[in-house]
Amino acid sequence: MRVIILFLVLLFTSQVSAESGIPILSVETNQSGNQEYSITLQVLGLMTLLTFLPAIIMMMTSFIRVTVVFAILRQALGMQQTPSNQILIGLSLFLTFFIMSPIIEEVNQDAVTPYINEEITVMQALDKAKSPFSRFMLGQIRENDLSLFMDLSGTEPLAEGQMPPFKVLVPAFIISELKTAFQIGFLLFIPFLIIDLVIASILMAMGMMMLSPLIISLPFKIMLFVLVDGWVLVVGTLSNSFL
């Protein structure tokens, strides 16, 4: 959790505010003797940045791939509301923290702790925190996706070992993650689709065309998913896909 708050702390607890002596909370006494409280723009900016925190978590981590795969899996099983959205989002968040734990530990060690100990400046801490996330995203990006946004942004060709700018890296990572999630979801859909086709064919052969195949196939799909220990396979595949 300290790493998530890092961006908030680094962007709004700068040395400029410290050197200028701007107080976070000021108290003034009016003519009637009552006290009035006011906060600085620093705190206002901090509260504003909180609205971007979900986007930071979703768009720069493994959350995209995990949550899309879980959504496709639920659709393949034929259960529209089970597991509920709250359960899927919660599972996606905890799995994201598990997958990103090496990155989080590196950021905490190289950026957060030295900054708290006043060993490095704000910009140095921000650069050190950005570097692990950049390497992680670059490792998941397809070359054609990166080339697309490099061309669209007019970025000059990179030298060997040079990291692409964030304005190119983040959208290319998002597109690559969506493509990978759809590929995994397609493979998940195949066995359940076969069950639906078999059940539909049997019902038509029996002349029961008015009976929905989904009602009959749902128990068989759930049984298949349980017998093969589906949650372990899905979660294990997702975790290994980032290695």
Side-chain angles (χ1 to χ4, degrees), residues 4 7-8 48-64 93 96 133 137 166 170-171 173-174:
I4 297 177
F7 295 97
L8 308 178
T48 303
L49 189 63
L50 286 175
T51 60
F52 295 96
L53 187 59
I56 294 175
I57 296 177
M58 291 187 295
M59 298 304 155
M60 295 174 55
T61 64
S62 59
F63 184 83
I64 301 175
L93 283 174
T96 298
F133 283 96
M137 290 188 289
F166 242 55
V170 174
F173 172 75
I174 295 172

Side-chain angles (χ1 to χ4, degrees), residues 22-68:
I22 300 177
I24 295 179
L25 178 66
S26 60
V27 182
E28 297 181 357
T29 303
N30 54 27
Q31 296 179 353
S32 62
N34 296 325
Q35 292 182 334
E36 297 179 353
Y37 299 89
S38 62
I39 60 175
T40 62
L41 291 178
Q42 181 180 356
V43 177
L44 180 61
L46 178 63
M47 300 304 297
T48 303
L49 189 63
L50 286 175
T51 60
F52 295 96
L53 187 59
I56 294 175
I57 296 177
M58 291 187 295
M59 298 304 155
M60 295 174 55
T61 64
S62 59
F63 184 83
I64 301 175
R65 185 185 306 183
V66 173
T67 188
V68 171

Side-chain angles (χ1 to χ4, degrees), residues 112-140:
V112 179
T113 302
Y115 175 75
I116 293 177
N117 296 334
E118 299 182 355
E119 298 174 358
I120 57 178
T121 63
V122 175
M123 296 308 300
Q124 290 175 338
L126 187 59
D127 290 337
K128 290 180 178 294
K130 185 173 65 174
S131 180
F133 283 96
S134 298
R135 293 197 304 269
F136 169 78
M137 290 188 289
L138 186 62
Q140 308 300 325

Side-chain angles (χ1 to χ4, degrees), residues 175-228:
I175 297 299
S176 297
E177 285 295 282
L178 289 174
K179 184 176 182 179
T180 303
F182 274 55
Q183 290 175 342
I184 298 175
F186 171 77
L187 297 177
L188 288 174
F189 235 106
I190 293 178
F192 302 114
L193 181 61
I194 293 176
I195 293 177
D196 286 333
L197 292 175
V198 171
I199 297 298
S201 300
I202 294 175
L203 293 177
M204 290 188 64
M206 297 174 61
M208 304 174 64
M209 292 177 292
M210 299 300 294
L211 181 61
S212 174
L214 295 178
I215 300 177
I216 308 300
S217 62
L218 180 58
F220 290 97
K221 290 191 287 187
I222 295 177
M223 181 182 64
L224 173 65
F225 191 71
V226 172
L227 288 177
V228 299

